Amino acid sequence: MKKTFFDDGFQDYLVDGARFEGRDGIPRLLNTTGEIPATLIPFDKAKTSKTTHGYLHFYIHDRQYGKILTDTRKYDELISRFDGIITPDPTIVIGMPHCIQAAATYMSRAIGYYEQCRGISVIPNVRWGDPSTFDFCFLGIPKHSVVSIGTHGAIARDRATGNLLRNCFRDGLGRMLDVIEPTDVLVYGYMPDDVFRDFFGRTRFHRYPSEFERTHSQEKGVK
């Protein structure tokens, strides 16, 4: 008789030996690097990048890196070429079921833990939604770490919702600083004053222009 098994898609080997936190079992990263990347390189451009001196990031559409969530080992050699990675940034949509939001956080930490065990330098990405996500989305990250956040698409103004996204982002940023107490925060994208000004002095922020900014600046002839 042919033996069959159920593949849950979570690649158990990613968290071999890991500790888990919270009711959702979020994998805990090992102590993280204190390095500040010279540059950030989008994962979908890793194969054609002219430099390997920088950290790969996943602040791109989920479909552009989805395979690393289901076949992580396939990318071992590619990732090893670079200085390190920022962990994946699976989308967390406000109103999405809790189990899916928690799974997004789980996979981001699981891949980070796996890469650390391979000797890769890892900076954890932190992604949250509305306050209902605050009980799990900061788990698995050691206190006083360097962390990374992305603002592109997360701080849009919308009168119809009372700027819900922007307000949730600002609230989550404050909570993240309370919980993780990061030494440094990498910011991929814009840093509007009304969102960030209350947090200056609580950590060191390092801004990296998004690909959207770079593209539009080039189109307008802005350097």
Side-chain angles (χ1 to χ4, degrees), residues 43 56-66 68-69 85-93 96 100-101 103-112 123-129 137 148-154 169 186 188-189:
F43 180 76
L56 293 177
H57 75 78
F58 297 84
Y59 298 118
I60 52 181
H61 197 285
D62 293 31
R63 65 171 175 266
Q64 293 174 295
Y65 67 86
I68 198 173
L69 302 179
I85 67 165
I86 294 172
T87 59
D89 182 47
T91 300
I92 291 181
V93 178
M96 183 184 284
I100 298 177
Q101 293 176 322
T105 302
Y106 173 95
M107 288 306 301
S108 181
R109 303 289 191 274
I111 290 175
I123 295 175
N125 170 68
V126 192
R127 173 67 65 184
W128 56 88
C137 60
S148 183
I149 60 177
T151 62
H152 183 66
F169 185 90
L186 314 185
Y188 179 80

Side-chain angles (χ1 to χ4, degrees), residues 151 155 157 166 189-197 200 207:
T151 62
I155 55 173
R157 293 185 182 276
R166 200 177 185 91
Y190 291 112
M191 287 183 61
D193 188 61
D194 66 299
V195 173
F196 283 86
R197 66 176 167 234
F200 293 135
R207 193 175 97 80

Side-chain angles (χ1 to χ4, degrees), residues 157-183:
R157 293 185 182 276
D158 181 8
R159 291 183 179 179
T161 64
N163 292 326
L164 177 63
L165 279 178
R166 200 177 185 91
N167 292 334
C168 285
F169 185 90
R170 184 172 54 243
D171 292 345
L173 178 57
R175 181 64 67 87
M176 185 268 286
L177 294 175
D178 289 341
V179 173
I180 301 175
E181 300 177 3
T183 60

